[in-house]
Each structure stands twice: as structure tokens, then as C-alpha cells.
Amino acid sequence: MTSLPDGADFEPNEGPGPAVVGFDFDGTLAEQLGGWSLLYRLFGVEDAGEARTEAFWSGELTYDEWIAGNVADFRERGVRREHVERAAAAVKLKPGAEALLADLRDAGIPFGVVSAGLVDLIRPVEAFDPAFVVSNEIVYDDEGVPVDAVPRVPPESKGPILSHLCARAGADPADAVYVGDSAAEDGAFEVAGTAVLFDPTERIDDHDGDLIDRRVVDHDLTALREILLPDEA
């Protein structure tokens, strides 16, 4: 499993509610369904990005090679850190997200994000003091040029990541809640005591459905309050 970023530590909640809440980002907390796809479109490398993604899923590229190719495309297009930061500033959280995250923070329920997208695009969540953000990272040089990447969340890694986060915090995964929108979250769904499929973007087959404890077919995260903030008046 890839290493966790610095600062991915928390004290589990011991009062009412979950010990910790993990969220997927793209399609769950955020409106866009894929952070990489968003940057492909913004930076004019959509065809190359989609072809590389097909090559990865067909086994022609490793995950590290896939990410390195993405970063190389951005660099060759003249993309700089400031351009990625502007993209992050335009990311829209789903309805109800800001109030929910603020109330989790105020209730002392640690929460965080595990995303196969990019940490750069998860900046809007930072205002709510997440306990952890685990996502892939672009490495920039002193001039803001993208030169490398840290691939923290390859496929099938979300379960081990959530397990590792809980182990470091001394939290029982059975007391954790994980919220995601697709079968890509299966690993984390299997680890968490309560797996919540929220605003699903695709059909979940019978096998995947066995991992899901709650289905919330809604676009507004307010619908999660009864699950995540059970002591709320």
C-alpha cells in the first residue's frame, strides 16, 4: 500500500455518531465525476488522457506510468501550479456538503477524503478541517512546473488505506462510516462498519450490493445527516 501523507492522523470520536467518516470526493462530495477528466478537458489533453486511461485499464501501463504521462501532458501544454489552483477554486461541492462537513467538525466527528483523483482539487474541503486527505499528488518545482507525481490511491487501494488510517488512530473500522458513489469504493465499503452508497452514478450489481448497508439516492448531502449525525436534534 502507498504511504499516507503527513498529517493523516486523528482521534476517533467516542461520543454519539461514527468514530470516523470517510468520503470519496469526485461524484460524492463534489459535482464533477472525475478530477483527472476535468483537467484533461481544461488543459486540452482529453484525447491523450483518454487513450492513456484505456492503455492503463488494458494492462499496457502501470498506474505510476499512467499518472506520470498525465503530468507530462500538463507540463508540455504549459500548465503551471497556478492553473491547477484556478481549477480547484472552480470545483463545486454538492448541495448540503458545506453544512454537513461543518457540523461533523463541530460535533467532534473526524472525517476525511480518500480519492483516486488529485489532492489539488480537494482544496475546497480544507476549510472544514478534515482529519485526513489521501489522494494522488502532483509535484511541482520552484517555478510551479509539474515535474512528477505521488500516486497514493491506485485501484483497489481504498480498503487498505481506510484500514491503515483506522489502525493509526486506534479506531475500530466497525465504528467507521464510508460514503461513496460507485463500485470503485468496494474496498472501503468492505472495511467500514457502515457502507453508504450515495447518489450512485452506475448500477451496482448483486455482489457489490452485498457490501452496501445504506443506499441514499439523493443529490443533496443533507440526506446523510441522519446517518452521520444521529444525535442531531
Side-chain angles (χ1 to χ4, degrees), residues 43 78-89 120 140 143-146:
F43 300 148
V79 172
R80 298 296 181 263
R81 183 200 295 266
E82 65 189 80
H83 302 125
V84 179
E85 290 175 346
R86 287 176 195 162
D120 304 76
Y140 303 92
E143 303 300 320
V145 177

Side-chain angles (χ1 to χ4, degrees), residues 2-5 22-30 32-36 63 66-67 91 112-123 125 132-137 150-159 161-162 165 178-181 184-185 188:
T2 55
S3 62
L4 297 180
F23 291 97
D24 170 50
F25 187 68
D26 297 317
T28 300
L29 289 177
Q32 83 264 356
L33 297 180
W36 289 105
Y63 193 69
W66 176 76
I67 286 188
V91 167
V113 174
V114 182
S115 171
L118 275 167
V119 70
D120 304 76
L121 300 184
I122 304 175
R123 302 301 181 198
V125 173
F132 53 86
V133 173
V134 185
S135 190
N136 303 302
E137 300 178 34
V150 181
R152 293 195 186 278
V153 190
E156 312 301 329
S157 67
K158 288 192 175 185
I161 288 171
L162 185 60
L165 286 165
Y178 188 84
V179 183
D181 70 327
E185 316 304 323

Side-chain angles (χ1 to χ4, degrees), residues 8-208:
D9 298 291
F10 61 90
E11 293 292 330
N13 173 44
E14 296 183 354
V20 60
V21 179
F23 291 97
D24 170 50
F25 187 68
D26 297 317
T28 300
L29 289 177
E31 293 282 5
Q32 83 264 356
L33 297 180
W36 289 105
S37 296
L38 173 65
L39 295 185
Y40 291 164
R41 292 193 300 274
L42 288 175
F43 300 148
V45 296
E46 193 166 12
D47 289 346
E50 290 179 354
R52 185 178 300 107
T53 299
E54 284 188 19
F56 165 69
W57 286 115
S58 68
E60 298 172 41
L61 296 175
T62 67
Y63 193 69
D64 289 16
E65 288 170 338
W66 176 76
I67 286 188
N70 290 336
V71 172
D73 277 353
F74 296 164
R75 181 172 60 250
E76 290 166 10
R77 289 287 294 180
V79 172
R80 298 296 181 263
R81 183 200 295 266
E82 65 189 80
H83 302 125
V84 179
E85 290 175 346
R86 287 176 195 162
V91 167
K92 302 296 184 186
L93 297 181
K94 284 188 176 179
E98 294 185 0
L100 178 65
L101 298 182
D103 287 347
L104 285 171
R105 175 195 61 202
D106 294 347
I109 299 174
F111 71 88
V113 174
V114 182
S115 171
L118 275 167
V119 70
D120 304 76
L121 300 184
I122 304 175
R123 302 301 181 198
V125 173
E126 291 181 353
F128 305 98
D129 300 322
F132 53 86
V133 173
V134 185
S135 190
N136 303 302
E137 300 178 34
I138 295 177
V139 178
Y140 303 92
D141 67 13
D142 291 342
E143 303 300 320
V145 177
V147 294
D148 202 351
V150 181
R152 293 195 186 278
V153 190
E156 312 301 329
S157 67
K158 288 192 175 185
I161 288 171
L162 185 60
S163 292
H164 195 183
L165 286 165
C166 287
R168 278 186 23 171
D172 186 344
D175 297 325
V177 176
Y178 188 84
V179 183
D181 70 327
S182 74
E185 316 304 323
D186 277 1
F189 284 159
E190 190 168 9
V191 168
T194 302
V196 182
L197 180 67
F198 174 74
D199 196 12
T201 58
E202 60 188 39
R203 180 179 176 272
I204 303 296
D205 64 27
D206 292 340
H207 172 71
D208 297 325

